Amino acid sequence: MITTETVNVQDEKKSAFLGSLSSAFQGVESYTALRKSAWDTLSKFAIPGTKTEAWKYTRVGKVINQARKKSGGNTQINLPEIAIGGLRYVFVDGVFRADLSDELTWQGLNIRRTGESAENNLLGTLSNHNADWFEAVNAAFFNDGLVIDVDKHTHIDCPIHLVFFASEENTAAFSRNVISLQESSSLQVFTHYIGSQHSTFSSVVTEAFVAKNASLKIDKIQEGNEAAFHHVEWTKQERDSRFDITTVTLKSSWVRNDLNIRVAGENCHSSLTGAYLPSGKEHVDNHTMVDHMVPNCESDEKYKGIVRENATAVFNGKVFVRPDAQKTNAFQQNANIVLDDTATMFSKPELEIYADDVKCSHGSTTGQFDEEAVFYLRARGIGEVMARKLLVEAFLADVITTLSDERLQSYCTEKIQQLMHS
Amino acid sequence: MLQIKDLHANIDGTEILKGLSLHIKPGEIHAIMGPNGSGKSTLASVLAGNEDYEITGGSVAFGDKDLLELSTEDRAREGLFLAFQYPVEIPGVSNINFLRTAVNEIREYKGEEPMSAGDFLKLVKERSALVELDGKLANRSVNEGFSGGEKKRNEVFQMAMLEPKLAILDETDSGLDIDALKIVAQGVNAMRSPERSFVVITHYQRLLDYIVPDFVHVLYKGKIVKSGSKELALELEARGYDWIKEEVSA
């Protein structure tokens, strides 16, 4: 009896949530095959809960227990104070803002809007909308985003700066990006996700294709405030390519990041770094997956967090080394400082290695501030606040320094210090 | 300079210092010796402000200040320096950045302007040479991957940078070979001045051949039980501590 009731409650919540989105996002067309399979997933599976392994530690009530509407995207916004040069494209509540954005097409670089161009044949080819409920929600409702193509042998020497604002109370926004680097090209993308004091839900799925000998760097900064963020990156690397991504989660009430890399060609390098520092009632979940499908590749992963005051952080790092992927070097490290008894950290490295001639290592540490170090610094005349500041900076430094631009690094360092002393 | 009167201190409910008194005047070097477990390192920790210890009685005046009322950082800013027996490794914090922060926080406390980068680097160069600390060590993370000897030299280097009024060297000689010991002593001697005092805590007389004390005290069961000149250290080296213990229990 109890089971049936639970299912009924689940069903009611599911239909209320999907119902509000269906009416809000009416008229979303194109990509019919993708959307059909997404809807199959949504009807087949329950909303992820404690029994869904990949969502075990992340409660989704904050996102789904609220009817969501679609925004007109007209909110007046202040652009972030980071100017890193390059081309900037701005979405407000999922709506492209031409008035705040640069021209779409540049030499060697082809940028189109997902919602306004012909169907892209790469979109939906990597993502997991057939099994993951939230990726299916994104696939069912997305209405815009960017498709970025870099021509063969083209090195784009200015960064592409994507800004996603979430501003209007009780709105949902669904965006879908495709980044495609042709052979021997390179690109740096800075995605800045910004929320407001209003409750919003925004889901962005980005599929990246890094061709032979190409190099893609993504710097991702999340400042959700009261926003709930569901951000998914799927990347496929061809031979001799390089993919680097740094994810820094500043103040954000609810974040789920899914970062998945398929290493499909030999001699690739992939690096994944992340930093998070939730406090208050914030929740940050980083799920990563590196799939070594072929031999002679290297992946290097380092996630670091400081968790305090009732906050929860989740790190789940999967590394697959398939039977053919001999001579793989895969490293993973997750280090956490849990500052008080009320904060919670779930750290789960998962290595599945099916090849026998590989070098793989992983380490997960969760501890407290080194009080001996604090005392040592104080004994040299450094005040307690400054001592802790130095130690926080030192702890996160090897993640923050992987951001490609010094201005991003100092932006994050400064924000982190403000957060630690608020 | 430093006036300790009848100091009592506990850790986890066990009394370690049981009425210790000591008076140090400007420019003096006092050596504190004693068998293991007599309270030597506790004295150093208590003076530096380690909150693991509970002060249950007595007083400590540092200049015109009540030392026990000051926070750890304010003790340092007032001119107290502890060279740690076991210096902590702090990965990610560069030795230079750390020292610069310390120097400038101390200057700010005294109402002075921050030291310019040029002056600071000049001072680093000059003072690191005192302990023959390779310039490259100054740019590494604090104590990270340093050998035992390098850590102790780094303590003396920090002392030379911060120019304290009173430096407490807590077993700075332990684990050092004779060459490292000489270097450490040379650094300390270079910093001697009529205004600066030292407390040298050690097990062994050997260090006192190089840093010559004005007074030698024996600490036993939480109290100073005997004081004398530098010859006392030689006597202790020759005869051990048993005769002191007998004198105390007699």
Side-chain angles (χ1 to χ4, degrees):
Chain A
M1 283 306 288
I2 291 168
T3 322
T4 322
E5 278 174 26
T6 318
V7 168
N8 285 343
V9 172
Q10 259 269 5
D11 282 348
E12 276 171 30
K13 282 187 177 172
K14 188 162 110 175
S15 55
F17 179 62
L18 293 177
S20 78
L21 293 179
S22 297
S23 54
F25 289 85
Q26 275 178 36
V28 166
E29 283 167 11
S30 69
Y31 298 98
T32 44
L34 173 68
R35 297 192 202 269
K36 187 179 171 306
S37 75
W39 274 105
D40 287 346
T41 308
L42 295 176
S43 53
K44 195 160 68 179
F45 297 114
I47 297 168
T50 43
K51 287 177 189 153
T52 320
E53 190 56 37
W55 288 82
K56 202 170 170 180
Y57 302 111
T58 295
R59 300 284 60 80
V60 301
K62 192 177 171 72
V63 172
I64 56 142
N65 292 343
Q66 170 67 55
R68 300 283 177 182
K69 54 190 187 194
K70 183 170 180 277
S71 162
N74 303 316
T75 314
Q76 282 294 325
I77 48 115
N78 293 316
L79 282 168
E81 58 258 54
I82 322 176
I84 56 162
L87 303 170
R88 186 178 62 204
Y89 302 100
V90 180
F91 288 82
V92 175
D93 295 319
V95 179
F96 182 70
R97 288 280 294 266
D99 59 321
L100 301 172
S101 301
D102 283 305
E103 293 289 325
L104 283 169
T105 298
W106 293 76
Q107 198 169 8
L109 183 64
N110 191 350
I111 302 177
R112 301 179 298 285
R113 284 174 52 195
T114 315
E116 288 206 334
S117 50
E119 289 194 14
N120 181 285
N121 56 14
L122 293 172
L123 194 150
T125 57
L126 290 177
S127 70
N128 193 26
H129 50 273
N130 289 321
D132 183 273
W133 204 82
F134 274 92
E135 285 199 49
V137 172
N138 179 284
F141 298 110
F142 79 91
N143 56 353
D144 213 344
L146 292 179
V147 176
I148 302 171
D149 273 315
V150 184
D151 291 347
K152 258 207 277 204
H153 304 289
T154 304
H155 298 281
I156 305 298
D157 53 9
C158 64
I160 306 274
H161 182 182
L162 306 181
V163 187
F164 290 87
F165 272 93
S167 68
E168 215 175 302
E169 179 79 14
N170 293 336
T171 54
F174 302 97
S175 311
R176 194 91 196 190
N177 304 312
V178 175
I179 301 173
S180 169
L181 273 67
Q182 305 300 322
E183 191 184 323
S184 301
S185 65
S186 68
L187 180 69
Q188 180 206 331
V189 179
F190 164 37
T191 49
H192 196 177
Y193 298 97
I194 305 167
S196 67
Q197 295 312 312
H198 297 292
S199 160
T200 53
F201 172 54
S202 82
S203 165
V204 181
V205 176
T206 301
E207 289 164 290
F209 300 83
V210 188
K212 193 173 144 186
N213 195 38
S215 169
L216 174 63
K217 172 74 211 273
I218 298 179
D219 296 300
K220 178 175 167 184
I221 298 179
Q222 299 170 307
E223 293 181 83
N225 295 303
E226 288 307 309
F229 285 154
H230 170 244
H231 293 155
V232 181
E233 285 90 19
W234 278 92
T235 299
K236 187 179 178 194
Q237 287 184 255
E238 302 297 346
R239 63 167 307 140
D240 305 323
S241 70
R242 184 177 176 110
F243 175 60
D244 297 84
I245 180 165
T246 304
T247 306
V248 179
T249 308
L250 300 167
K251 187 175 175 51
S252 291
S253 74
W254 187 97
V255 175
R256 165 69 178 222
N257 290 316
D258 278 284
L259 169 58
N260 305 288
I261 304 172
R262 293 209 188 284
V263 189
E266 288 192 41
N267 194 31
C268 285
H269 179 88
S270 325
S271 99
L272 320 65
T273 50
Y276 42 92
L277 43 153
S279 65
K281 294 211 162 73
E282 295 175 2
H283 181 97
V284 179
D285 179 348
N286 279 294
H287 265 66
T288 67
M289 191 273 289
V290 181
D291 183 359
H292 284 286
M293 304 160 75
V294 296
N296 299 313
C297 293
E298 184 178 84
S299 65
D300 194 357
E301 174 165 23
K302 184 179 286 177
Y303 272 71
K304 286 186 158 189
I306 299 175
V307 194
R308 61 201 166 111
E309 298 165 2
N310 298 304
T312 307
V314 181
F315 171 80
N316 187 296
K318 275 194 180 125
V319 177
F320 291 110
V321 180
R322 299 209 195 180
D324 287 344
Q326 299 293 359
K327 307 281 182 196
T328 293
N329 283 339
F331 304 102
Q332 183 189 82
Q333 192 201 346
N334 176 226
N336 301 288
I337 293 177
V338 176
L339 281 186
D340 45 67
D341 295 346
T342 58
T344 312
M345 177 71 218
F346 298 101
S347 175
K348 193 174 170 197
E350 288 183 66
L351 273 67
E352 293 187 27
I353 300 168
Y354 301 102
D356 52 16
D357 184 13
V358 300
K359 239 191 265 171
C360 295
S361 71
H362 69 95
S364 168
T365 55
T366 296
Q368 323 227 297
F369 239 118
D370 183 353
E371 290 302 328
E372 266 188 68
V374 176
F375 182 70
Y376 188 85
L377 296 174
R378 291 177 65 197
R380 296 296 176 255
I382 296 173
E384 185 165 0
V385 169
M386 178 62 89
R388 290 182 189 277
K389 187 173 161 168
L390 283 174
L391 293 174
V392 164
E393 236 177 87
F395 178 68
L396 298 177
D398 49 2
V399 172
I400 299 303
T401 51
T402 62
L403 289 163
S404 16
D405 191 290
E406 270 181 26
R407 284 163 294 190
L408 292 186
Q409 295 177 15
S410 52
Y411 179 83
C412 285
T413 304
E414 208 169 291
K415 289 272 175 172
I416 287 167
Q417 293 306 347
Q418 285 168 13
L419 287 171
M420 291 304 295
H421 299 106
S422 59
Chain B
M1 168 75 70
L2 186 77
Q3 176 99 44
I4 306 175
K5 282 186 184 160
D6 195 28
L7 186 63
H8 291 255
N10 291 354
I11 186 161
D12 300 329
T14 307
E15 188 168 55
I16 309 285
L17 299 183
K18 303 172 182 175
L20 186 148
S21 298
L22 184 65
H23 185 202
I24 296 169
K25 294 190 186 122
E28 291 177 350
I29 296 189
H30 290 243
I32 296 183
M33 304 182 76
N36 278 325
S38 56
K40 299 189 301 293
S41 284
T42 296
L43 175 63
S45 295
V46 163
L47 292 178
N50 187 330
E51 283 152 15
D52 293 344
Y53 295 89
E54 187 196 353
I55 312 296
T56 53
S59 66
V60 182
F62 183 45
D64 57 357
K65 293 278 182 351
D66 177 353
L67 187 79
L68 301 178
E69 287 296 311
L70 298 176
S71 65
T72 296
E73 50 269 42
D74 281 351
R75 294 177 195 200
R77 292 161 179 171
E78 287 288 340
L80 183 121
F81 182 92
L82 170 63
F84 284 77
Q85 186 180 359
Y86 304 110
V88 203
E89 299 195 7
I90 314 181
V93 175
S94 86
N95 224 9
I96 281 296
N97 187 24
F98 151 63
L99 270 174
R100 184 138 190 233
T101 309
V103 164
N104 284 333
E105 288 219 2
I106 291 170
R107 291 175 72 95
E108 193 186 335
Y109 179 83
K110 293 178 179 163
E112 295 166 7
E113 291 293 306
M115 194 182 278
S116 76
D119 288 349
F120 176 77
L121 290 175
K122 212 173 115 197
L123 194 65
V124 165
K125 204 173 167 193
E126 182 192 314
R127 298 291 154 90
S128 61
L130 290 179
V131 286
E132 299 174 22
L133 195 61
D134 188 290
K136 273 180 285 183
L137 283 182
N139 291 321
R140 298 225 315 248
S141 289
V142 179
N143 294 323
E144 193 187 25
F146 285 26
S147 70
E150 283 168 346
K151 282 181 184 167
K152 297 299 176 80
R153 276 150 65 193
N154 195 27
E155 293 294 289
V156 176
F157 165 51
Q158 290 173 33
M159 179 195 74
M161 286 298 294
L162 301 181
E163 302 178 344
K165 291 182 194 138
L166 172 70
I168 303 162
L169 311 180
D170 188 7
E171 300 199 17
T172 300
D173 54 333
S174 61
L176 295 188
D177 62 32
I178 191 70
D179 293 330
L181 186 81
K182 282 182 185 167
I183 293 169
V184 161
Q186 158 194 314
V188 170
N189 289 328
M191 294 306 292
R192 285 191 74 163
S193 86
E195 292 79 38
R196 184 171 293 128
S197 313
F198 293 86
V199 174
V200 181
I201 295 173
T202 181
H203 270 295
Y204 307 105
Q205 188 274 335
R206 192 179 63 157
L207 175 68
L208 306 180
D209 285 340
Y210 301 98
I211 303 174
V212 181
D214 300 302
F215 302 95
V216 174
H217 308 278
V218 179
L219 182 59
Y220 179 57
K221 289 191 175 169
K223 281 184 187 176
I224 303 274
V225 294
K226 198 171 188 67
S227 298
S229 62
K230 63 181 179 193
E231 283 72 27
L232 177 58
L234 290 167
E235 196 175 355
L236 290 168
E237 183 82 356
R239 296 175 63 191
Y241 288 104
D242 285 349
W243 63 282
I244 302 261
K245 292 179 188 173
E246 277 161 29
E247 265 186 34
V248 170
S249 44

